[in-house]
C-alpha cells in the first residue's frame, strides 16, 4: 500500500514538473515574440520619426534596388554605348563620302563645293576631337589624402571630406569634382575637367546633324520617292510573273547599287534628324544650366534652397554664378578675345579655370568686377 502511494506521488511530481517546464517554455516564446515586436517597432519609428527624414528620403529608400540595377547596367553597358556612337557616326561619314560627296562634286557650283568641303570637315574634326577628349579625360577626383583637403561636408559612401560642388557617383563609385552627371554614351562622368568637352561634343554633333538634314532634304525626298517606285515596280513584276505570257515582258528592276544608294540617303536623313531633335534639346538644356552657372545636380539643390529661403522672405543667390556672359567665358576658358577662335572654334585641350577643390574668382571676371570706391 505504501509503495503504491509513493509511486503515485512520484508520478504526480513528474507531471507537475512537466507542466512547469511547458509553462516556462511558453512564457519564454511569448517573451521572445514581444522582444522582436518591440525591436521592429523601434526600428520603424527610428526610420519614420527622424527629423531629417522627408518624402525624398523615403522615395530614395524605396527605389534603392532600382537605382542599384540601373547603376550596374549602365556600368557594364557603357562600352556598348560608346561603340554604338562610334558605329553610327562612322556609318554617316561613310555614306557622305561614298554616296553624297561624288554627287556634290558633279552637280554643285565651285563655291558651294568649297563651302561643303570646308564646313563638313571642320565640323567632323570638332566632333571627333571633343568626343575623344570627353571619354578619355578624367572628370577630376578629390585627393585620397584626407589631410590635404578641407571639405565642406563628408561623403557618406567614401567617408572622406568632400569639396564644394563635389558629388559621389554611384556608377564610378568615386567622388567627382563639379559633377554634372554620369553619361553612358561617354562611359564616363561629366565633371570639372571634361564638362567643356561634353558640351562641345553635343553642340557640334547637333550642328552636324542639322547640316546633314538641311542639305540632304532634297536628296531624301528623291530617294524616298525612288524607294516607293521600287515597291510599286516590284509588285507589278510579281503580278506579271504570275500571269506572264510569251508576248509580255517584266518591268525593269533597280540594280543593287541603286537600291543601296537610295536606302542609305533615307537612313542618313532619318538618323540625323532624330539625333538633331533629341541631342539638340539636351544641348539647349545644358546651355541654360551653363548660363545660370550651375550643373544638373546643383539645379535641384538650388531649387530646394530657393524655395526654402523664399518661405523665409529671403532671396537665393548662386555663389558660383558670375552673370550670363561671364559664366560662358569661365566655362569655355576665354580669357582674351582671341580665345574665341583658338579655344572655341578650333580644337583646344586647355584646362578649365581652377582645380575644382576651391572656387576663386577667375581672372576674366575679376578684371571686370573691380570694386568702386564710394565717394
Amino acid at each position: 500500500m505504501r509503495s503504491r502511494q509513493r509511486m503515485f506521488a512520484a508520478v504526480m511530481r513528474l507531471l507537475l514538473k512537466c507542466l512547469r517546464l511547458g509553462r516556462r517554455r511558453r512564457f519564454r516564446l511569448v517573451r521572445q515574440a514581444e522582444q522582436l515586436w518591440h525591436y521592429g517597432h523601434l526600428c520603424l519609428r527610428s526610420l519614420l520619426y527622424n527629423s531629417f527624414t522627408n518624402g525624398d528620403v523615403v522615395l530614395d529608400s524605396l527605389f534603392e534596388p532600382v537605382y542599384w540595377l540601373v547603376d550596374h547596367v549602365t556600368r557594364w553597358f557603357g562600352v556598348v554605348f560608346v561603340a554604338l556612337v562610334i558605329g553610327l557616326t562612322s556609318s554617316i561619314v561613310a555614306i557622305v563620302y561614298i554616296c553624297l560627296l561624288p554627287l556634290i562634286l558633279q552637280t554643285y557650283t565651285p563655291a558651294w563645293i568649297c563651302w561643303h568641303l570646308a564646313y563638313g570637315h571642320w565640323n567632323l574634326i570638332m566632333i571627333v576631337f571633343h568626343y575623344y577628349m570627353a571619354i578619355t579625360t578624367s572628370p577630376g577626383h578629390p585627393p585620397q589624402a584626407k589631410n590635404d583637403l578641407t571639405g565642406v561636408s563628408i561623403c557618406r559612401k567614401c567617408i572622406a571630406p568632400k569639396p564644394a560642388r563635389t558629388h559621389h557617383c554611384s556608377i564610378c563609385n568615386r567622388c567627382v569634382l563639379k559633377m554634372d552627371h554620369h553619361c553612358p554614351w561617354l562611359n564616363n562622368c561629366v565633371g570639372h575637367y571634361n564638362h567643356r568637352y561634353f558640351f562641345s561634343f553635343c553642340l557640334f554633333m547637333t550642328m552636324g546633324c542639322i547640316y546633314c538634314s538641311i542639305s540632304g532634304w532634297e536628296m531624301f525626298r528623291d530617294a524616298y520617292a525612288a524607294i516607293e517606285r521600287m515597291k510599286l515596280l516590284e509588285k507589278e513584276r510579281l503580278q506579271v510573273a504570275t500571269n506572264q505570257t510569251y508576248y509580255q515582258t517584266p518591268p525593269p528592276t533597280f540594280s543593287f547599287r541603286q537600291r543601296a544608294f537610295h536606302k542609305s540617303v533615307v537612313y542618313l536623313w532619318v538618323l540625323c534628324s532624330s539625333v538633331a531633335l533629341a541631342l539638340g534639346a539636351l544641348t539647349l538644356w545644358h546651355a541654360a544650366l551653363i548660363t545660370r552657372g550651375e550643373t544638373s545636380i546643383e539645379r535641384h539643390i538650388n531649387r530646394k534652397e530657393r524655395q526654402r529661403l523664399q518661405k523665409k522672405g529671403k532671396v537665393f543667390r548662386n555663389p558660383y554664378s558670375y552673370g550670363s556672359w561671364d559664366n560662358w567665358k569661365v566655362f569655355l576658358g576665354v580669357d582674351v578675345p582671341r580665345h574665341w577662335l583658338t579655344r572655341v572654334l578650333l580644337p583646344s585641350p586647355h584646362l578649365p579655370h581652377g582645380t575644382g577643390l576651391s572656387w576663386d574668382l577667375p581672372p576674366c571676371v575679376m578684371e571686370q568686377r573691380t570694386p568702386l570706391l564710394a565717394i
Side-chain angles (χ1 to χ4, degrees):
M1 189 71 180
R2 291 180 179 177
S3 60
R4 290 180 181 177
Q5 291 177 354
R6 290 176 183 173
M7 289 179 62
F8 180 75
V11 171
M12 293 300 294
R13 283 195 296 269
L14 183 61
L15 288 174
L16 290 174
K17 287 182 180 179
C18 291
L19 290 174
R20 289 174 183 172
L21 289 174
R23 287 179 182 176
R24 289 177 183 175
R25 289 178 181 175
R26 196 181 308 157
F27 290 149
R28 192 177 301 166
L29 291 175
V30 172
R31 207 173 290 165
Q32 290 178 355
E34 289 180 354
Q35 289 178 355
L36 290 175
W37 167 257
H38 288 305
Y39 178 74
H41 187 62
L42 179 63
C43 290
L44 185 62
R45 291 192 57 172
S46 66
L47 291 175
L48 295 179
Y49 293 93
N50 193 331
S51 60
F52 294 99
T53 302
N54 52 21
D56 295 337
V57 176
V58 175
L59 286 177
D60 288 343
S61 301
L62 293 176
F63 282 93
E64 190 65 31
V66 179
Y67 296 151
W68 180 87
L69 181 63
V70 171
D71 292 345
H72 281 70
V73 169
T74 306
R75 184 182 305 170
W76 290 108
F77 277 83
V79 179
V80 178
F81 291 150
V82 171
L84 187 62
V85 172
I86 296 174
L88 293 176
T89 307
S90 302
S91 66
I92 295 299
V93 174
I95 291 173
V96 170
Y97 274 102
I98 296 174
C99 299
L100 301 186
L101 187 59
L103 190 62
I104 290 173
L105 295 176
Q106 293 174 4
T107 58
Y108 283 28
T109 61
W112 277 109
I113 291 175
C114 293
W115 155 253
H116 283 290
L117 290 177
Y119 180 81
H121 287 89
W122 169 78
N123 203 341
L124 178 61
I125 291 172
M126 297 298 285
I127 290 173
V128 173
F129 170 78
H130 287 102
Y131 188 69
Y132 175 78
M133 295 299 292
I135 62 178
T136 57
T137 303
S138 173
H141 306 284
Q144 297 295 327
K146 299 180 180 180
N147 296 330
D148 300 337
L149 181 63
T150 302
V152 297
S153 61
I154 299 296
C155 180
R156 293 181 299 174
K157 297 183 179 180
C158 295
I159 316 298
K162 190 165 62 172
R165 312 186 79 179
T166 299
H167 301 279
H168 187 89
C169 177
S170 57
I171 300 175
C172 299
N173 200 22
R174 294 188 67 180
C175 283
V176 178
L177 299 175
K178 192 194 168 188
M179 179 180 175
D180 188 89
H181 69 286
H182 184 94
C183 182
W185 300 101
L186 301 179
N187 194 27
N188 196 7
C189 267
V190 177
H192 179 62
Y193 289 104
N194 64 347
H195 194 181
R196 179 178 65 88
Y197 297 131
F198 164 77
F199 177 79
S200 299
F201 163 72
C202 293
L203 177 63
F204 289 112
M205 178 64 82
T206 303
M207 291 171 56
C209 290
I210 294 175
Y211 162 73
C212 291
S213 299
I214 294 176
S215 60
W217 169 245
E218 294 295 334
M219 297 180 186
F220 165 75
R221 291 178 59 184
D222 296 340
Y224 186 79
I227 291 175
E228 292 297 322
R229 197 160 53 249
M230 288 180 197
K231 293 179 181 179
L232 291 176
L233 292 175
E234 185 69 22
K235 189 181 296 184
E236 291 179 5
R237 191 180 67 83
L238 292 175
Q239 291 176 356
V240 169
T242 55
N243 303 321
Q244 188 173 14
T245 59
Y246 66 91
Y247 59 85
Q248 289 176 328
T249 57
T253 58
F254 286 87
S255 64
F256 173 79
R257 184 174 182 179
Q258 291 174 328
R259 292 172 182 270
F261 174 82
H262 295 309
K263 291 182 179 180
S264 298
V265 173
V266 172
Y267 163 79
L268 179 144
W269 192 88
V270 171
L271 180 61
C272 289
S273 301
S274 304
V275 173
L277 290 175
L279 194 60
L282 180 66
T283 305
L284 291 176
W285 165 256
H286 280 278
L289 293 176
I290 295 169
T291 304
R292 294 196 296 262
E294 58 187 11
T295 61
S296 300
I297 298 177
E298 290 173 350
R299 175 187 174 273
H300 300 285
I301 298 174
N302 294 344
R303 180 171 55 86
K304 292 182 179 179
E305 189 67 15
R306 190 177 295 108
Q307 293 174 354
R308 186 183 69 84
L309 293 177
Q310 189 176 4
K311 293 178 181 179
K312 297 182 178 181
K314 299 180 180 179
V315 179
F316 172 78
R317 182 185 177 277
N318 184 8
Y320 308 111
S321 177
Y322 313 111
S324 301
W325 183 248
D326 287 338
N327 287 336
W328 279 103
K329 291 175 64 177
V330 172
F331 177 79
L332 298 173
V334 176
D335 297 328
V336 293
R338 70 171 182 274
H339 286 167
W340 290 104
L341 173 63
T342 59
R343 293 188 174 184
V344 178
L345 297 180
L346 294 176
S348 175
H350 66 277
L351 296 176
H353 288 291
T355 61
L357 303 176
S358 60
W359 298 97
D360 300 327
L361 286 176
C364 59
V365 177
M366 292 179 65
E367 292 176 0
Q368 298 180 4
R369 289 195 172 189
T370 52
L372 297 176
L373 295 177
I375 299 177

